[in-house]
Amino acid sequence: GTVTNAGSITGTNSYGVYLKAGGSVTNQTGGVISGGFQGVDVYSGAGTVTNFGTITAGIRGVSLGGGGVVTNQAGGAISGFIGIAIFAGGTVTNTGSITGGISGLASGVYLAAGGSVTNNAGGAITGFRQGIYVNGGVGTVTNAGTITGSNSSTFDSGVYLKTGGSVTNQAGGTISGYNGIKIDGSAGTVTNAGTITGSNSGSGSNGVYFKLGGRRHQPGGRRDQRW
């Protein structure tokens, strides 16, 4: 299926747009797609979502069951209990805003099988638990904007790579959370030229936390709390 929208599409109690077997959705400037359950759901098969407008939902703003690509352009806003969830290999590029919920396990971006996220200058990714949570495969995050995990428990991080990977925080980039960056499961690499903050005042809040070892390189960057 192919959907292009510059108006308003609403699924009050279910989906704004539901593509069962793959396809693409382009939500243009001024376009609004909303769902009580999911804003855009590409259930199986690869999905491509490009957003210049607003996509919002009660559970997941954008959900790609078969993997794919989400591009949120400048001025675009995607929100839900989870902003974007991709359940096979996925790629997210953001220059707008992506927001995940106010409670529970909500993340701005959740990649269930590894993948990559690029948050460009001017982009903001925020989650109640994690700004970006990558599970089930290696994650790659490149940031020149703002990534925030806004809660204050030890599980919460600006970027959480549960099965290893790399984070590059470029000049002007800001990453913050109880742990600014947390990498579990495998060795990780962090390269920083911006600001990484462990934002909780209690002990155990880290700028960067490697559970199983890793490497950090900081060419002129700044970090708060401890590596």
Side-chain angles (χ1 to χ4, degrees), residues 51-131:
N51 180 53
F52 296 84
T54 300
I55 301 174
T56 185
I59 303 298
R60 294 188 282 265
V62 174
S63 178
L64 304 183
V69 178
V70 178
T71 303
N72 191 41
Q73 304 283 9
I78 298 174
S79 64
F81 182 77
I82 297 174
I84 296 170
I86 303 179
F87 294 94
T91 300
V92 175
T93 302
N94 178 57
T95 317
S97 67
I98 301 171
T99 305
I102 58 172
S103 63
L105 297 175
S107 304
V109 175
Y110 172 58
L111 303 182
S116 66
V117 179
T118 300
N119 190 41
N120 294 318
I125 300 175
T126 304
F128 180 76
R129 295 299 297 268
Q130 302 92 17

Side-chain angles (χ1 to χ4, degrees), residues 31-192:
V32 177
I33 299 174
S34 63
F37 183 44
Q38 293 179 165
V40 174
D41 184 3
V42 184
Y43 182 76
S44 64
T48 301
V49 176
T50 303
N51 180 53
F52 296 84
T54 300
I55 301 174
T56 185
I59 303 298
R60 294 188 282 265
V62 174
S63 178
L64 304 183
V69 178
V70 178
T71 303
N72 191 41
Q73 304 283 9
I78 298 174
S79 64
F81 182 77
I82 297 174
I84 296 170
I86 303 179
F87 294 94
T91 300
V92 175
T93 302
N94 178 57
T95 317
S97 67
I98 301 171
T99 305
I102 58 172
S103 63
L105 297 175
S107 304
V109 175
Y110 172 58
L111 303 182
S116 66
V117 179
T118 300
N119 190 41
N120 294 318
I125 300 175
T126 304
F128 180 76
R129 295 299 297 268
Q130 302 92 17
I132 297 170
Y133 178 21
V134 183
N135 189 16
V138 173
T140 302
V141 175
T142 302
N143 179 54
T146 302
I147 301 173
T148 306
S150 60
N151 197 28
S152 59
S153 81
T154 56
F155 185 70
D156 306 324
S157 305
V159 175
Y160 181 26
L161 306 183
K162 191 171 183 180
T163 50
S166 65
V167 179
T168 301
N169 192 40
Q170 298 175 341
T174 300
I175 300 173
S176 64
Y178 184 93
N179 295 297
I181 297 169
K182 182 178 181 180
I183 300 179
D184 280 355
S186 181
T189 301
V190 173
T191 302
N192 180 47

Side-chain angles (χ1 to χ4, degrees), residues 200-220:
N200 188 275
S201 60
S203 62
S205 178
N206 306 293
V208 177
Y209 173 56
F210 296 114
K211 186 174 182 180
L212 294 176
R215 180 181 56 161
R216 56 98 173 171
H217 175 57
Q218 183 165 324

